[in-house]
Amino acid sequence: MKKRIFSIVAILAISLTSAVAQKSIRLGYIDMEYILENVPEYQEATKQLENRVQEWKTEAETKMRKVEEMRTRLDNERALLTKELIEEKEEEISFMEQQALEYQQNRFGPNGDYMIQKKQLVRPIQDQVFSAVQQIAENRNLDFVFDRTSDIGMIYADKQYDVSELVLRTIKRTANREQLESKEEITEMEKAEERTPEQEDAITEREQLVEQRKNEREAFIEAKKRERDSIKAARQKEFEERRQKILAERERKRDSILKAREKKNDTIN
């Protein structure tokens, strides 16, 4: 990691030095892991998250243990049950097992609560670090600042070295030239290439406004969809609760019948 970052730094230093007429490039770096380890708020929040994780693990184990208990009980009673009752119990066990697996996925999966809360835990500290880095870089006239413990590498760069917009415009112009067919289209492209950065910015601003309105419409549609999904989830929950009550009542009746049969067999014997 260190070698890769230093290689990048060396290449940047050589290229940028040539670009700014032998201007001296000033570099800095941070150790994000060291910073996090020494922030009390982060350590306290980490402990709280670890406690929560232990609770989730206990709950997940309880759910799976309940499934195993139901499966064992069915195996013990299988000889006394009808085919229909066996199928109902197997269906119930399958449902409970699926619920347990979904719980594990929702808690510990790639998009589960653990990953989400871990990111939320780090983000405020990262924001503070980035803000501090920007302030220090400006005060000390640093051109670039790197994080030696992160794959991201560079976390600060002076705006004067940002050529992203120029690169993007060049790519778009090249792509557009390849698609041109008529003389009018070529003339229009040449006019676009002659625009000043200010004119380009004005056009970009208008395009961004159109995109913003589009995003607002999409956000409104998405909010409506979430509202519908919430209603659907509530109805599903109500359905599952009713289903559990019915299954519990069936279980009670079957147990009563089994006990009556056992009592009758004992009397006969």
Side-chain angles (χ1 to χ4, degrees), residues 33 35-54 56 114 117-125:
E33 292 181 0
I35 293 173
L36 292 176
E37 289 173 357
N38 289 275
V39 176
E41 294 84 355
Y42 175 78
Q43 294 301 318
E44 179 61 28
T46 299
K47 291 180 181 179
Q48 294 178 6
L49 178 58
E50 289 175 354
N51 292 336
R52 201 169 299 144
V53 168
Q54 289 302 319
W56 293 341
Y114 174 71
Q117 294 192 23
K118 188 174 182 181
K119 291 178 181 178
Q120 292 174 344
L121 174 64
V122 176
R123 188 176 298 115
I125 309 300

Side-chain angles (χ1 to χ4, degrees), residues 202-219:
I203 294 174
T204 300
E205 184 177 353
R206 289 196 296 271
E207 292 175 348
Q208 289 176 344
L209 180 60
V210 172
E211 184 67 19
Q212 179 183 350
R213 290 173 178 171
K214 177 184 176 183
N215 292 337
E216 290 174 351
R217 289 196 300 270
E218 292 177 350

Side-chain angles (χ1 to χ4, degrees), residues 13-251:
I14 294 172
S15 303
L16 293 172
T17 299
S18 174
V20 297
Q22 306 304 318
K23 179 183 179 298
S24 177
I25 303 297
R26 295 173 59 85
L27 305 175
Y29 76 89
I30 66 168
D31 186 328
M32 181 67 79
E33 292 181 0
Y34 170 78
I35 293 173
L36 292 176
E37 289 173 357
N38 289 275
V39 176
E41 294 84 355
Y42 175 78
Q43 294 301 318
E44 179 61 28
T46 299
K47 291 180 181 179
Q48 294 178 6
L49 178 58
E50 289 175 354
N51 292 336
R52 201 169 299 144
V53 168
Q54 289 302 319
E55 293 176 359
W56 293 341
K57 287 182 178 179
T58 300
E59 180 66 18
E61 291 171 357
T62 300
K63 289 179 178 294
M64 290 305 298
R65 187 162 53 250
K66 183 176 180 180
V67 171
E68 292 303 320
E69 290 173 355
M70 293 173 64
R71 187 173 284 119
T72 300
R73 187 163 61 249
L74 174 60
D75 290 340
N76 293 336
E77 298 175 352
R78 189 177 295 272
L80 301 175
L81 301 177
T82 64
K83 180 180 179 181
E84 290 76 12
L85 290 176
I86 292 174
E87 290 177 352
E88 286 186 11
K89 282 184 172 289
E90 288 177 341
E91 180 183 352
E92 183 179 0
I93 292 172
S94 177
F95 174 78
M96 295 296 293
E97 184 176 25
Q98 182 63 31
Q99 292 290 95
L101 293 174
E102 287 181 2
Y103 179 85
Q104 293 181 5
Q105 185 69 14
N106 291 336
R107 294 300 193 189
F108 302 107
N111 299 315
D113 294 332
Y114 174 71
M115 294 302 298
I116 293 174
Q117 294 192 23
K118 188 174 182 181
K119 291 178 181 178
Q120 292 174 344
L121 174 64
V122 176
R123 188 176 298 115
I125 309 300
Q126 288 180 330
D127 292 342
Q128 294 179 37
V129 171
F130 294 152
S131 177
V133 165
Q134 182 174 359
Q135 182 179 350
I136 294 169
E138 292 173 353
N139 292 339
R140 296 195 175 189
N141 295 320
L142 299 178
D143 295 302
F144 299 94
V145 177
F146 295 84
D147 177 7
R148 74 182 187 88
T149 63
S150 171
D151 292 335
I152 299 175
M154 186 169 61
I155 61 173
Y156 171 84
D158 194 309
K159 285 290 186 181
Q160 65 176 309
Y161 299 109
D162 187 0
V163 294
S164 303
E165 190 62 34
L166 294 176
V167 172
L168 182 59
R169 290 176 182 174
T170 300
I171 292 174
K172 288 182 177 179
R173 287 171 180 172
T174 301
N176 290 336
R177 277 184 174 276
E178 293 175 353
Q179 298 175 4
L180 298 181
E181 297 179 357
S182 66
K183 182 177 180 180
E184 291 77 11
E185 290 175 333
I186 296 175
T187 301
E188 183 63 28
M189 173 56 67
E190 291 175 347
K191 288 181 180 179
E193 292 179 347
E194 293 174 357
R195 295 191 189 111
T196 65
E198 291 77 14
Q199 291 172 330
E200 286 282 1
D201 291 341
I203 294 174
T204 300
E205 184 177 353
R206 289 196 296 271
E207 292 175 348
Q208 289 176 344
L209 180 60
V210 172
E211 184 67 19
Q212 179 183 350
R213 290 173 178 171
K214 177 184 176 183
N215 292 337
E216 290 174 351
R217 289 196 300 270
E218 292 177 350
F220 175 78
I221 294 173
E222 181 63 23
K224 287 294 185 183
K225 181 178 180 299
R226 287 197 298 268
E227 181 180 353
R228 290 195 300 269
D229 291 344
S230 177
I231 295 174
K232 182 179 178 181
R235 291 175 178 173
Q236 180 65 23
K237 181 180 179 181
E238 182 181 355
F239 169 78
E240 293 298 340
E241 290 175 350
R242 289 200 306 269
R243 181 177 181 276
Q244 290 300 322
K245 289 181 180 179
I246 293 173
L247 290 174
E249 181 63 21
R250 287 182 181 176
E251 183 72 16

